[in-house]
Amino acid sequence: MKKHRRLRNIGIIAHVDAGKTTTTERILYYTGNIHTLGNIDDGNTVTDSDHQEASRGITISSSSVSANWNYNEKTYQINIIDTPGHIDFSIEVERSLRVLDGAVALFCASSGVEPQSETVWSQSDKYNIPKICFINKMDRIGADYFKVVSDIEVEFNVSTLPLQIPIGEGDDFEGVIDLLKEKALYWNSDNHGNTWETKDIPDHLKPLADKWRTILIETISNFDETIMLKYLSNDIISTDILNEAIREITLQQKAVPILCGSAYKNIGVQPVLDAVINYLPSPEDIAYIEGINRLSNEKERIRCTREAQLTAFVFKVITDKYFGKLAMVRLYSGHVNVGSTILNSRTNLKNRVSRILKIHADKHTELNEAQSGDIVALIGLKDVKTGDALSQVNMPFSLENIEVLDPVISLAIEPKSKNDEKHFGEALAKILAEDPSLQVAFDKQTGQTLLQGMGELHLEVRLERLRSDFGIQLNKGNPKVSYRELLTQDVEHTEVFKKQTGGTGHFAQISFILGPRRDQEKGLEFVSEIKGGVIPKEFIPNVKKGFLEAMSSGVLAGYPLESMRVILIDGKIHDEDSSALDFETVARNGFKKAAVLAKPELLEPVMNAEISCPEDYLGNVTSDVSKRRGVITAIKENGIKRIVSAEVPLIETFGYISALRTLTSGRGSVTLQLLKYRKVPERILDQIGC
């Protein structure tokens, strides 16, 4: 248990370009894991070890690293996940947060709370993850610490606990004032910030420091009665007591501690590590894990201890050229040894663990055992996928899975060389196993393989992986939008399937009402009103299956249906000729005929576009958004920049990043996130081919 008390599993989350990878690099340097500082611009950071990450200057895959930090003469192990900031790779953030205990949320001191900041914060809230904030890039022009603190409170509706205030901002940024210890900290530039000096607070900053220390203690008092009584009695409140109170407040997610600095300038990173140890949870702070006992099909809680039964979650699958398939897992309870036989609760297959690895970016350490709280890679698991739960043999236990959004864009792809055709399917299967947000479809009309994903960058990166890692050169088509179809009115229909083949025939008849769902939910709502056994109970699931399969290809333009409702009201069977397969077939046939009469409409994906640009270019940006059939919903000030929020059809955003750079002389940026599906205007239907 001592090991667990000195273990932290944390993620670093933020908007793209807030400094996640640079901050992680500094953490590794100050903890002694690396001896030379890497930088994004030089393409030599540890966590962006993939050549695409190095060349693009962004994080694509969540990367796991481990570091040891000495605090109060004790050594703590910190497992860190450096996650992507680009919205196309949000599945990487989602599955990382699923297994973490705490998070460090980074914000740029000049840009503040940005669109993707809100997305990752919301994702972390979904998994009830306690957070601390680090306002980075205090050395940037336009840095405004107090504005960012205010924005965090307003945008996320949270209370904040600023533990530091900056000494200067922008070019004048020198260090930070620790409000708990009431000291000024200055980092030494001659040794890359490895050491720092503690001095008295400068006289001109004492009033400001006193003001914010008072605010800090008053905020803590609002959540801690002991602190309140001491504060009202003017008693001395020790730093240790304040730290204990802040930890409880953070774990209960009543408020978020805030620190500041500049990772690039090597200022303020070590206090973040201290805060991780002080305020974020260890695995033992999570008392139990909840899931479904597969034997009883009932909810059950398992204590998160080494002595409990094994419960582990596969949050990522990696194909490695040396080890083959690696299953990245978080152990919530129990333990696993090399040679152990464990059960995959999804497949009900037994697997022998041949090796256990502690992953350090692109390096690893062999382990003999992993136990509750650990994040490791297991080798030897067959047919394993993201979201699988691993448990002890004869004790199957499943956990809540990861929600994966449907793809919104597709590309037709094929290998250039016939020699690559035999390897094409195998390579495609490997990258699909690694990325749940990536899908493949086969177009029956054209015979093309369609790669489907979350955006242009997402598909571009995965295609480059096929080329670089598997040596497959590809021909590709233009990106296409994944439209949806929707029925708009109810239709009653009777369908008969009857076929004689010389032997046993085929017969099935159903009467049903087909139309839109009333509850605004997605998928198929199937209601059976069959009475008197006119259709045997064992055939009704096959009717549902037939309609479900039919939804994958609508009657308007062959696109999937977003949702629909089917009420099965009557039917007939033949004593000798009817089979379950016949009722699947009659449902599919009936859908095709009835859906045409249900006035189907074509829906297009609409993106929430958050565009950042200097005020001088605002007119260019808003005019261009209008030309792209976009609707501007808000324009906000963010320092010297303006943030334009708009709803823009996905098809109109193809190539938009390049166009925006031209419009703003390279000073604009945009994040795009799927917002909703909306009816395609009549004038656009001809362009789509409907």
Side-chain angles (χ1 to χ4, degrees), residues 310 340-344 349-351 391-396:
L310 173 66
S340 298
T341 299
I342 59 178
L343 184 74
N344 185 326
L349 293 177
K350 297 176 184 178
N351 289 268
S391 52
Q392 288 178 210
V393 176
N394 301 324
M395 301 181 75

Side-chain angles (χ1 to χ4, degrees), residues 98 289-292 302 311-314 330 332 345 387-390 397-402:
R98 173 66 175 78
I289 184 71
E290 189 173 271
I292 302 294
I302 296 177
T311 309
F313 185 81
V314 179
R330 159 69 190 266
Y332 284 101
S345 297
D388 284 352
L390 307 176
F397 193 81
S398 60
L399 302 171
E400 180 187 358
N401 211 329
I402 297 172

Side-chain angles (χ1 to χ4, degrees), residues 439-502:
Q439 296 182 19
V440 165
F442 186 73
D443 191 320
K444 295 179 182 178
Q445 294 181 336
T446 64
Q448 293 176 315
T449 299
L450 301 177
L451 188 65
Q452 302 171 323
M454 304 308 298
E456 285 185 278
L457 180 61
H458 184 208
L459 295 184
E460 185 182 324
V461 165
R462 299 312 180 209
L463 291 179
E464 177 59 30
R465 174 93 196 281
L466 286 172
R467 285 188 285 264
S468 62
D469 290 13
F470 299 98
I472 298 175
Q473 299 300 314
L474 297 165
N475 292 320
K476 64 177 183 178
N478 293 322
K480 293 183 178 180
V481 171
S482 297
Y483 292 96
R484 297 285 186 270
E485 296 186 18
L486 183 70
L487 308 179
T488 61
Q489 71 176 33
D490 289 340
V491 172
E492 186 171 333
H493 180 76
T494 297
E495 182 69 21
V496 179
F497 173 59
K498 188 175 183 180
K499 189 176 182 181
Q500 288 297 134
T501 57

Side-chain angles (χ1 to χ4, degrees), residues 608-656:
N608 179 38
E610 297 281 351
I611 308 158
S612 173
C613 68
E615 186 176 13
D616 292 347
Y617 299 97
L618 185 59
N620 293 348
V621 169
T622 55
S623 176
D624 186 66
V625 167
S626 298
K627 290 177 184 176
R628 296 173 183 271
R629 296 194 286 126
V631 177
I632 296 173
T633 56
I635 299 177
K636 299 178 183 177
E637 292 187 15
N638 191 344
I640 61 175
K641 291 194 172 184
R642 298 294 179 268
I643 305 296
V644 178
S645 300
E647 298 178 6
V648 186
L650 173 63
I651 195 171
E652 304 290 351
T653 67
F654 290 167
Y656 183 60

Side-chain angles (χ1 to χ4, degrees), residues 531-636:
K531 297 177 182 178
V534 293
I535 299 177
K537 287 183 179 180
E538 60 267 26
F539 288 167
I540 290 176
N542 298 95
V543 177
K544 180 179 180 180
K545 182 180 178 183
F547 280 113
L548 199 58
E549 290 175 353
M551 286 182 71
S552 64
S553 181
V555 295
L556 194 59
Y559 292 104
L561 265 74
E562 179 85 340
S563 65
M564 73 176 188
R565 181 179 66 165
V566 174
I567 303 175
L568 185 61
I569 53 178
D570 202 359
K572 291 181 181 178
I573 65 164
H574 188 281
D575 291 339
E576 297 179 1
D577 292 349
S578 293
S579 70
L581 190 59
D582 295 337
F583 278 90
E584 286 183 33
T585 303
V586 76
R588 288 195 297 268
N589 295 346
F591 166 81
K592 291 178 182 177
K593 294 177 183 176
V596 175
L597 305 174
K599 292 191 176 180
E601 291 181 346
L602 193 66
L603 306 178
E604 65 179 343
V606 176
M607 310 302 285
N608 179 38
E610 297 281 351
I611 308 158
S612 173
C613 68
E615 186 176 13
D616 292 347
Y617 299 97
L618 185 59
N620 293 348
V621 169
T622 55
S623 176
D624 186 66
V625 167
S626 298
K627 290 177 184 176
R628 296 173 183 271
R629 296 194 286 126
V631 177
I632 296 173
T633 56
I635 299 177
K636 299 178 183 177

Side-chain angles (χ1 to χ4, degrees), residues 243-525:
N243 274 328
E244 288 176 13
I246 294 169
R247 176 176 174 80
E248 284 305 310
I249 292 168
T250 305
L251 294 183
Q252 295 172 27
Q253 299 176 67
K254 294 178 178 177
V256 289
I258 297 184
L259 302 93
C260 64
S262 169
Y264 182 72
K265 293 289 187 179
N266 308 316
I267 298 174
V269 175
Q270 292 93 333
V272 175
L273 288 167
D274 290 345
V276 166
I277 303 304
N278 261 331
Y279 311 128
L280 292 183
S282 67
E284 70 175 0
D285 288 313
I286 302 171
Y288 57 83
I289 184 71
E290 189 173 271
I292 302 294
N293 183 322
R294 297 293 294 275
L295 296 177
S296 63
N297 283 324
E298 294 182 356
K299 282 188 177 182
E300 194 173 291
R301 290 178 173 181
I302 296 177
R303 298 289 300 179
C304 291
T305 64
R306 185 188 183 283
E307 293 71 30
Q309 69 184 63
L310 173 66
T311 309
F313 185 81
V314 179
F315 69 95
K316 189 172 183 178
V317 176
I318 303 171
T319 302
D320 185 89
K321 53 184 160 185
Y322 300 113
F323 297 111
K325 184 178 286 187
L326 302 177
M328 296 294 298
V329 305
R330 159 69 190 266
L331 275 73
Y332 284 101
S333 63
H335 63 282
V336 61
N337 298 88
V338 173
S340 298
T341 299
I342 59 178
L343 184 74
N344 185 326
S345 297
R346 175 181 60 85
T347 63
N348 212 31
L349 293 177
K350 297 176 184 178
N351 289 268
R352 182 180 178 275
V353 178
S354 58
R355 297 171 82 176
I356 303 173
L357 304 181
K358 188 72 178 175
I359 299 296
H360 177 77
D362 58 346
K363 298 180 177 64
H364 70 277
T365 303
E366 296 260 1
L367 301 176
N368 292 319
E369 181 193 72
Q371 57 181 303
S372 57
D374 284 340
I375 294 178
V376 295
L378 302 183
I379 300 177
L381 308 188
K382 298 176 182 178
D383 189 23
V384 64
K385 295 180 180 180
T386 296
D388 284 352
L390 307 176
S391 52
Q392 288 178 210
V393 176
N394 301 324
M395 301 181 75
F397 193 81
S398 60
L399 302 171
E400 180 187 358
N401 211 329
I402 297 172
E403 181 183 2
V404 181
L405 298 176
D406 292 332
V408 296
I409 186 175
S410 66
L411 278 177
I413 58 172
E414 63 179 14
K416 285 184 178 180
S417 167
K418 285 192 174 182
N419 294 331
D420 287 335
E421 287 182 359
K422 59 182 179 181
H423 303 297
F424 177 60
E426 181 182 335
L428 209 52
K430 287 180 178 178
I431 66 170
L432 287 171
E434 292 181 9
D435 187 350
S437 62
L438 200 67
Q439 296 182 19
V440 165
F442 186 73
D443 191 320
K444 295 179 182 178
Q445 294 181 336
T446 64
Q448 293 176 315
T449 299
L450 301 177
L451 188 65
Q452 302 171 323
M454 304 308 298
E456 285 185 278
L457 180 61
H458 184 208
L459 295 184
E460 185 182 324
V461 165
R462 299 312 180 209
L463 291 179
E464 177 59 30
R465 174 93 196 281
L466 286 172
R467 285 188 285 264
S468 62
D469 290 13
F470 299 98
I472 298 175
Q473 299 300 314
L474 297 165
N475 292 320
K476 64 177 183 178
N478 293 322
K480 293 183 178 180
V481 171
S482 297
Y483 292 96
R484 297 285 186 270
E485 296 186 18
L486 183 70
L487 308 179
T488 61
Q489 71 176 33
D490 289 340
V491 172
E492 186 171 333
H493 180 76
T494 297
E495 182 69 21
V496 179
F497 173 59
K498 188 175 183 180
K499 189 176 182 181
Q500 288 297 134
T501 57
T504 303
H506 300 276
F507 180 86
Q509 179 176 320
I510 57 173
S511 296
F512 59 91
I513 298 172
L514 179 72
R517 292 186 68 149
R518 304 297 196 272
D519 56 8
Q520 308 303 314
E521 295 293 322
K522 295 181 180 180
L524 172 65
E525 179 187 2

